[in-house]
Amino acid sequence: MMGSGDPWPPSQVLLNVGGKKYATTVDTLTQREPESMLAAMFSGRHTVSTDDETGMIFIDRDGKHFRHILNWLRDGVIPTLQDSESQELLREAEYYQLLGLVDNINTSLNKRKDNDGSVAELTRTEIIKCIQSDRVRFRGVNLSGLDLSKLDLSFVDFSYACIRKTNFSRANLQKAKFGDAEAEDSVFHDAILRECELIGANLHGALLDRANLQSANLQDACLTECSLYEADLRSAHLQSAKLTGANLKGANLEGANLKGAKLNSANLQGANLQRAYLREVDLRDSKLDGAKLGGANLLGAIR
């Protein structure tokens, strides 16, 4: 046990943070953030208990992120983490009173909010006013999170737009353009998307249950983890589309072109794939119970 006022020896410091063991030095713990709780602990001003057998100092905190704390104290860098993990690290930084780290994490989180397309540039009312005009274009516009359900948006150009978590349920989107749009987690339940252009669009996690996508062009689109339950995809173009983990249960893909598409781990139970073009399609681990494959071209398909 180090008594109050005793200078801390310059040797290695062994820490047990919530069961996770770390080794560092007094200089690391005290120099970058001299006003922090850790600097105070090892300043010699306070009594710090060590385990008699291991010589370790126990800190009753979750040790998961303490390595990031040490890396900050050593090098002054913050890790690239998911928002949820950044929030966890922020709580630890606040507990240890590491004000420099707290400021850097908050700055990083605020930059992400500015760049993640979370704030729409227009309102539903403004959209309704816009669609009164001919040749409506929202190319590259941020419409994330808006409720655009039940609107007539046929022929509207959403190419390159950011429409994450936008609600298009029951909207008429016939012949609309979504080329290279960012539409992650958007909702298209019962929407009309006939002859839509969705080339290269990112629809990861989107909900398209019972949507009408007849003759739509989804070439090179990303539809991973999306739901297309009972969707109408007759004669749709899905060449090289990514449908890994997608739910296509009961979907109608009759005559669709899926050449080279990724359908591994997809749910195709009860789907209609009659006369579909499935050459070189990846069907590994997909569920095909009850699927109709009469007349389908499966040459080179991976199963």
Side-chain angles (χ1 to χ4, degrees), residues 78-298:
I78 62 171
T80 301
L81 301 170
Q82 297 291 331
D83 282 1
S84 60
E85 291 187 315
S86 291
Q87 293 290 351
E88 291 173 6
L89 179 58
L90 180 61
R91 284 196 294 273
E92 295 305 300
E94 289 172 341
Y95 173 80
Y96 293 115
Q97 298 171 28
L98 298 164
L99 301 184
L101 180 55
V102 169
D103 288 344
N104 274 271
I105 295 171
N106 281 325
T107 299
S108 177
L109 288 170
N110 288 334
K111 282 182 179 178
R112 288 187 211 175
K113 287 179 182 178
D114 291 339
N115 297 328
D116 70 358
S118 58
V119 181
E121 297 176 53
L122 296 169
T123 65
R124 178 183 172 92
T125 301
E126 289 169 333
I127 296 289
I128 292 171
K129 289 179 180 178
C130 288
I131 60 179
Q132 311 296 321
S133 309
D134 293 332
R135 297 192 64 187
V136 181
R137 295 182 180 178
F138 294 116
R139 293 173 65 91
V141 177
N142 185 355
L143 304 173
S144 295
L146 288 183
D147 179 6
L148 302 180
S149 60
K150 303 179 182 178
L151 295 180
D152 184 356
L153 299 164
S154 53
F155 298 94
V156 173
D157 190 349
F158 293 100
S159 301
Y160 307 102
C162 186
I163 47 175
R164 296 188 182 101
K165 298 183 179 180
T166 302
N167 184 3
F168 290 101
S169 295
R170 300 182 183 277
N172 180 5
L173 293 154
Q174 184 166 344
K175 293 189 177 181
K177 294 182 179 180
F178 290 92
D180 292 298
E182 289 293 332
E184 294 170 273
D185 301 314
S186 284
V187 181
F188 293 89
H189 286 319
D190 301 290
I192 298 171
L193 290 147
R194 291 186 61 159
E195 300 176 76
C196 267
E197 180 187 303
L198 292 129
I199 299 171
N202 183 2
L203 289 149
H204 174 81
L207 302 177
L208 294 119
D209 296 343
R210 298 174 302 280
N212 185 338
L213 287 143
Q214 284 186 58
S215 301
N217 191 341
L218 291 129
Q219 188 171 348
D220 294 312
C222 177
L223 293 138
T224 53
E225 306 297 333
C226 75
S227 180
L228 288 147
Y229 175 72
E230 293 186 350
D232 189 344
L233 287 147
R234 284 175 291 175
S235 304
H237 302 276
L238 289 147
Q239 300 98 307
S240 302
K242 302 175 186 69
L243 288 143
T244 301
N247 179 15
L248 288 146
K249 186 176 182 179
N252 190 348
L253 290 141
E254 185 175 354
N257 186 346
L258 291 120
K259 182 180 179 181
K262 303 293 184 185
L263 281 157
N264 47 308
S265 302
N267 185 355
L268 290 154
Q269 292 175 311
N272 182 3
L273 290 156
Q274 294 181 95
R275 292 179 293 282
Y277 195 72
L278 297 164
R279 291 190 64 165
E280 300 170 21
V281 168
D282 188 347
L283 290 163
R284 286 175 294 181
D285 300 315
S286 59
K287 297 178 182 177
L288 288 158
D289 305 349
K292 299 174 183 176
L293 291 159
N297 185 339
L298 286 155

